[in-house]
């Protein structure tokens, strides 16, 4: 009997040593560098530990899904594994991966709305932006501020749109509050309309205030603005016109045709950026009443119709 007890004790000791060795080996593997050769971004979907392990294994972040599940169970008091997009560094260990899933900052994606896009273009941009979810809400023309917006995977398109609209409201209010005195603009919306025309007329930063000065001078004199982008807005149906304007376009009677109406059109024709809003509310003080493209991407400005006609002739010769 004593011999049997000794043998049983020896067996239990051997099993304990084996178990301890296996545990020690597992702990070492959990802390060892992983198989990932380069840093990578990976979307972790909602699900249990096994499904998360399968995603990580498929992407090559970890080599052993069962070991990952064991490590997650053993460290469960550290918190749940989150669903988000994370950056996993090269050679990340299972311990590193678990820390990222529990405490890491999700990847910040960015969506840039360029200046001068129409509402239809901005809605299309939101629709095709990867990582956003849900339907695109309808946007009023000129309602969204062109800017770069950070978001994380799974954010809604509606939430980004709301932020862009709130940003425009704030930027317009700021520009209107700092406006120059005696502008021929009745309210902030008219400033938004003028800024949208300025944005579509020139992409040269140094010209915006001058273009604004020309339009303000014309408004003060009761002259027609004669802005080609306003004419193109209707036949383009809210998208850039993919052809040159024709005489028929200029003669078409519609509320946005500033060759046929006096004053501003009834609404914006695009989304202006902060600089265009600033130009509309603080235009350059100038005597210029005319401008035309100069062939270099900018414009030639003129005080008189005679001078303007010479600039137009030079432009036509360049074309």
């Amino acid at each position: 009997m004593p011999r049997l007890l000794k043998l049983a004790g020896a067996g239990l000791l051997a099993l304990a040593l084996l178990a301890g060795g296996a545990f020690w080996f597992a702990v070492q593997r959990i802390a060892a560098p992983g198989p990932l050769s380069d840093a990578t971004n990976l979307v972790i979907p909602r699900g249990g530990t096994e499904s998360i392990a399968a995603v990580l294994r498929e992407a090559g972040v970890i080599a052993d899904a069962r070991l990952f599940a064991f490590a997650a169970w053993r460290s469960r008091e550290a918190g749940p594994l989150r669903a988000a997009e994370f950056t996993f560094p090269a050679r990340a260990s299972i311990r590193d991966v678990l820390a990222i899933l529990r405490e890491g900052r999700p990847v910040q994606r960015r969506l840039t709305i360029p200046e001068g896009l129409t509402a239809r273009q901005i809605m299309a941009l939101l629709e095709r932006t990867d990582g956003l979810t849900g339907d695109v809400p309808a946007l009023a023309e000129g309602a969204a501020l062109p800017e770069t917006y950070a978001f994380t995977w799974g954010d809604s398109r509606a939430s980004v749109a709301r932020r862009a609209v709130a940003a425009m409201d704030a930027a317009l209010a700021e520009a209107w509050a700092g406006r120059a005195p005696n502008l021929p603009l009745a309210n902030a919306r008219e400033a938004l309309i003028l800024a949208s025309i300025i944005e579509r007329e020139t992409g040269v930063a140094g010209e915006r205030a001058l273009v604004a000065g020309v339009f303000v001078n014309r408004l003060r004199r009761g002259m027609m603005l004669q802005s080609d982008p306003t004419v193109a807005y209707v036949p383009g149906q809210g998208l850039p016109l993919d052809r040159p304007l024709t005489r028929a376009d200029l003669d078409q009677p519609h509320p946005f045709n500033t060759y046929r109406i006096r004053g501003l059109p009834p609404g914006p024709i695009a989304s202006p950026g902060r600089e265009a809003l600033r130009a509309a509310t603080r235009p350059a003080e100038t005597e210029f009443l005319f401008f035309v493209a100069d062939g270099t991407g900018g414009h030639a400005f003129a005080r008189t119709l005679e001078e303007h006609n010479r600039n137009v002739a030079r432009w036509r010769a360049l074309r």
Side-chain angles (χ1 to χ4, degrees), residues 86-153:
F86 296 103
T87 299
F88 296 96
R91 310 298 288 171
S93 67
I94 287 177
R95 180 183 295 169
D96 296 332
V97 171
L98 286 169
I100 290 168
L101 292 175
R102 286 173 172 141
E103 304 166 9
R105 184 181 180 187
V107 172
Q108 294 289 298
R109 296 188 175 208
R110 284 172 172 78
L111 165 64
T112 297
I113 301 176
E115 290 89 348
L117 294 189
T118 65
R120 282 186 63 185
Q121 289 176 299
I122 294 172
M123 290 168 65
L125 180 61
L126 285 167
E127 180 64 43
R128 65 176 180 265
T129 298
D130 188 42
L132 290 176
T133 61
D135 296 331
V136 178
L139 287 173
E141 196 66 83
L145 183 70
E147 207 153 81
T148 297
Y149 297 92
F151 68 94
T152 58
W153 172 84

Side-chain angles (χ1 to χ4, degrees), residues 150-241:
F151 68 94
T152 58
W153 172 84
D155 285 353
S156 70
R157 293 178 173 87
S159 67
V160 176
R162 285 194 298 270
R163 289 165 54 201
V165 170
M168 177 61 87
D169 290 343
L172 178 58
E174 180 182 357
W176 184 246
R179 66 189 181 278
N182 303 317
L183 288 178
L185 302 172
N187 49 49
R189 177 164 177 79
E190 289 195 354
L192 175 65
I193 294 169
L194 178 58
S196 75
I197 299 172
I198 295 164
E199 193 69 81
R200 294 293 295 148
E201 281 283 5
T202 182
V204 180
E207 284 190 352
R208 289 192 181 101
L210 266 183
V211 170
V214 169
F215 286 139
V216 165
N217 287 342
R218 294 177 78 90
L219 288 171
R220 283 175 174 151
R221 288 165 174 77
M223 300 171 65
M224 294 180 182
L225 294 186
Q226 295 185 323
S227 167
D228 288 0
T230 67
V231 180
Y233 181 70
V234 168
Q237 297 182 332
L239 294 174
L241 197 61

Side-chain angles (χ1 to χ4, degrees), residues 287-312:
E287 296 180 0
F288 292 139
L289 289 171
F290 306 91
F291 63 88
V292 68
D294 63 4
T296 67
H299 293 84
F301 294 83
R303 294 172 178 82
T304 66
L305 181 59
E306 181 182 9
E307 184 183 356
H308 177 61
N309 286 338
R310 288 198 296 269
N311 291 336
V312 170

Side-chain angles (χ1 to χ4, degrees), residues 73-93:
W73 172 82
R74 181 170 174 267
S75 60
R76 59 192 179 281
E77 291 183 0
L81 308 183
R82 295 174 298 157
E85 183 179 20
F86 296 103
T87 299
F88 296 96
R91 310 298 288 171
S93 67

